[in-house]
Amino acid sequence: MPGHFATTTLNLSTGSAERITDLTGACEDFLARTAEGGDGLLNVFVPHATAGIAIIETGAGSDDDLLSALHTLLPADDRWQHRHGSPGHGRDHVLPAFVPPHATLPVIAGRLELGTWQSVCLVDTNKDNPDRTVRLSFLG
């Protein structure tokens, strides 16, 4: 099955606080360089055991709401069996079960097909690892 394939990595510093980072612009820039106006799929993957990819609205409080919900579902306390790093770090290793480390999105005519308020975001609750890699892959 012939097709166009391109891939790149983003290197991000998320700092020492829990953070949701909007990757939409970086995804759009990557597609502008590689999709050549074609149709296909964009895969976004974070190769870390303590981070995930979410498609959410940002800037209107939803990103803070997501972090708050994760605190409720996955409290940063000493209940976790995985016990290295800062207190409660074990919950960071459970995060990808709730916020998966990948998303595959449609690309039409070289453009990311998101809903009006949707953004592609890195969700990182791990304060112990401020350096993240995100792989973007386009399959036309």
Side-chain angles (χ1 to χ4, degrees):
M1 177 171 120
H4 175 71
F5 180 78
T7 189
T8 192
T9 55
L10 306 174
N11 295 303
L12 307 168
S13 178
T14 55
S16 60
E18 296 180 358
R19 179 162 301 169
I20 294 180
T21 304
D22 191 337
L23 304 173
T24 310
C27 292
E28 291 170 342
D29 291 346
F30 170 69
L31 291 171
R33 292 189 314 272
T34 61
E36 301 172 350
D39 297 347
L41 297 171
L42 174 68
N43 182 263
V44 183
F45 176 70
V46 56
H48 297 282
T50 59
I53 301 294
I55 310 301
I56 62 169
E57 178 182 8
T58 60
S62 297
D63 33 2
D64 291 332
D65 289 341
L66 176 56
L67 289 176
S68 179
L70 290 171
H71 275 279
T72 300
L73 290 169
L74 306 170
D77 58 22
D78 64 355
R79 73 183 70 203
W80 307 101
Q81 308 239 350
H82 187 101
R83 293 185 187 259
H84 75 272
S86 61
H89 174 66
R91 68 100 178 217
D92 298 327
H93 287 273
V94 177
L95 172 78
F98 293 88
V99 182
H102 60 87
T104 301
L105 305 163
V107 176
I108 307 297
R111 296 185 51 93
L112 196 53
E113 278 293 300
L114 292 172
T116 302
W117 303 111
Q118 289 180 318
S119 295
V120 182
C121 298
L122 170 68
V123 179
D124 187 2
T125 60
N126 183 356
K127 300 182 232 177
D128 295 338
N129 185 0
D131 300 312
R132 296 300 184 168
T133 300
V134 178
R135 177 164 296 281
L136 305 178
S137 301
F138 172 72
L139 177 61

